Amino acid sequence: MQPEFNFFQHWYPVSPIEDLDPKRPTPVTLLGIRLVIWKPKSSDSFRIFIDQCPHRLAPLSEGRIDDKTGNLMCSYHGWQFDTEGVCTRIPQAENPEIVTKNRKDFCVISLPVRQENDLLWVWPDVNSQELAHQTPLPLSPQVDASKGFVWTSFVRDLEYDWQTLVENVADPSHVPFAHHGVQGNREQGRARPISIMQSTPGLIEAVADGLVTAKITFEPPCRLEYAISVGNDGKQLGLVTYCLPVSPGKSRIVAQFPRNFAKTLHRLTPRWWDHIKTRNLVLDGDMILLNQQEHLIQQRQLSATWKTAYKMPTSADRLVIEFRKWFDKYCDGGLPWKEVGIPIPEAAAINDNRDVLLDRYKQHTRHCSSCRNTLKNIERLQLILLGYFALVISGVAVIPDSLRVRLGLPLIITAILGLGLYSWLKFWLVPKFYFVDYVHAEK
């Protein structure tokens, strides 16, 4: 029997648009389907194709955008495809009619896409394009400049399943403990009652009480958002997350952080700084906990259910319970991996490799334009500082004695200061783009 909820017939934001490089193809995986994102030179919009060349199934994400035609070229044999996925060139064709007569057979599968709220959206079911045109995007009402909001965007790949991600984001009571010193304080952890306001196949709404009241909205399958009122003067703060199923044991979070106050601070804070100081730290704090929790719940569910595996006596867990009930009722408690030919492992092994679980570069930096460009600039600056130090030391050694104190001493001082800056960059800042171990016992 087919589950009532169809994961493939929904819109998903695969990336913030500002993080996509318009000059090269970008691979992404959604619901086990490998996709390629690219931007034709003749278009203002990105396109998303199935990441397979029809010739011999080579990945188009390893291709390039042709300088002359602006089309997507497969790097294996040079086949080219236009904005709609139609094959426009086969270099090996003895007769041009081979291309023109076989356009339908030689095309790449192109998926519906939209660009809205600074995000690139895709509809992963090619057979329901009319439904895609009729279905509104799951947009947040808080990501709206006309209402006075500003926001930043963030993306990271995660080492745990979609349902584990949704369950975690739907649980505000973990914040003072898992994110102590980053977004909370464990000494202030207290009862946070949650009330379910409505629960339907397409929407779950809840209210979490506490120091501040938060309205929590889950619009399946991906939008999970908090709307928080700060004080009594109309200040609003939001957390808008889009939870994407990637493959068994893998998910992606695309998040936006809207607010309608402190706008000057928003403009002055570099996006990359916000990512290394806050956003990545929050997800680091969850990563190992959730990866191992997922392993254990999968083991327990071989002979029991989450209802007996979890002990959830307080109202703080009501939204987690409501999500699990929704997942059981409308999705048969599972994601549609079999529909894309992916076998479901009975229980994933616990991954104790912290270098893999907390690999910021692979999970975030390479996907984020602000972080990867800043990292490149820092590496260039490091080379300049080292070169300047070597040049000054060698130069001072050969200048006349009469100039050595008057000219050489200031140069030596600046070179030493430059070396100190180099050391700070190398040993403090650069590692934050690659790996930061998160040990809760030390927080």
Side-chain angles (χ1 to χ4, degrees), residues 232-252:
N232 299 315
D233 55 356
K235 292 180 180 178
Q236 287 185 275
L237 183 69
L239 167 63
V240 182
T241 65
Y242 292 98
C243 307
L244 278 61
V246 173
S247 59
K250 308 281 185 181
S251 59
R252 167 174 281 205

Side-chain angles (χ1 to χ4, degrees), residues 84-375:
E84 304 304 320
V86 175
C87 181
T88 59
R89 184 168 186 263
I90 299 177
Q92 298 80 18
E94 300 90 344
N95 188 333
E97 290 185 0
I98 291 178
V99 179
T100 56
K101 288 182 176 180
N102 295 278
R103 287 184 182 275
K104 291 185 179 180
D105 290 336
F106 295 165
C107 66
V108 178
I109 297 175
S110 177
L111 297 174
V113 294
R114 291 180 63 181
Q115 294 183 189
E116 197 79 35
N117 279 15
D118 298 336
L119 302 175
L120 178 66
W121 302 78
V122 66
W123 181 276
D125 181 23
V126 70
N127 296 316
S128 58
Q129 300 205 27
E130 186 60 36
L131 179 61
H133 295 313
Q134 298 169 4
T135 303
L137 298 175
L139 300 176
S140 166
Q142 299 181 92
V143 183
D144 189 343
S146 68
K147 297 178 182 178
F149 283 94
V150 293
W151 60 88
T152 60
S153 300
F154 176 84
V155 60
R156 182 162 171 176
D157 292 329
L158 305 170
E159 293 293 320
Y160 44 84
D161 245 325
W162 169 86
Q163 61 266 37
T164 305
L165 171 58
V166 173
E167 182 182 289
N168 178 62
V169 179
D171 169 28
S173 64
H174 82 281
V175 173
F177 303 96
H179 308 308
H180 172 75
V182 181
Q183 283 191 330
N185 186 326
R186 64 174 70 97
E187 301 302 325
Q188 297 177 4
R190 55 177 56 85
R192 190 112 196 243
I194 292 180
S195 303
I196 305 300
M197 309 309 293
Q198 71 166 304
S199 182
T200 68
L203 188 70
I204 299 175
E205 287 185 336
V207 172
D209 293 317
L211 290 176
V212 294
T213 298
K215 179 183 178 183
I216 309 172
T217 303
F218 176 50
E219 183 180 358
C222 61
R223 182 172 73 96
L224 180 48
E225 120 172 38
Y226 284 65
I228 303 167
S229 296
V230 181
N232 299 315
D233 55 356
K235 292 180 180 178
Q236 287 185 275
L237 183 69
L239 167 63
V240 182
T241 65
Y242 292 98
C243 307
L244 278 61
V246 173
S247 59
K250 308 281 185 181
S251 59
R252 167 174 281 205
I253 186 169
V254 176
Q256 294 180 304
F257 308 95
R259 65 186 183 208
N260 64 358
F261 61 95
K263 297 178 186 179
T264 301
L265 180 63
H266 165 82
R267 287 192 295 268
L268 294 177
T269 303
R271 188 166 167 246
W272 63 268
W273 182 257
D274 182 47
H275 291 180
I276 67 170
K277 289 295 291 180
T278 304
R279 307 307 173 192
N280 275 315
L281 273 176
V282 169
L283 292 171
D284 289 343
D286 287 329
M287 191 75 74
I288 293 171
L289 298 175
L290 298 182
N291 179 270
Q292 297 197 17
Q293 172 199 326
E294 182 169 284
H295 166 82
L296 295 173
I297 187 64
Q298 287 174 349
Q299 276 192 331
R300 293 285 191 91
Q301 286 183 316
L302 294 176
S303 57
T305 71
W306 61 270
K307 295 176 183 178
T308 54
Y310 286 165
K311 310 301 178 188
M312 297 187 286
T314 72
S315 66
D317 292 313
R318 279 183 183 160
L319 187 52
V320 172
I321 293 170
E322 195 64 32
F323 163 68
R324 282 287 177 179
K325 288 163 62 178
W326 176 91
F327 193 45
D328 284 349
K329 184 175 181 179
Y330 300 111
C331 310
D332 289 345
L335 287 155
W337 303 128
K338 290 182 179 178
E339 293 185 37
V340 290
I342 297 178
I344 304 172
E346 287 190 348
I350 287 180
N351 187 350
D352 289 320
N353 190 334
R354 303 176 81 90
D355 291 336
V356 172
L357 291 174
L358 301 174
D359 187 343
R360 285 190 182 181
Y361 184 83
K362 183 177 179 181
Q363 296 168 3
H364 171 72
T365 302
R366 63 175 181 157
H367 301 306
C368 172
S369 60
S370 181
C371 289
R372 67 175 179 259
N373 290 334
T374 299
L375 181 59

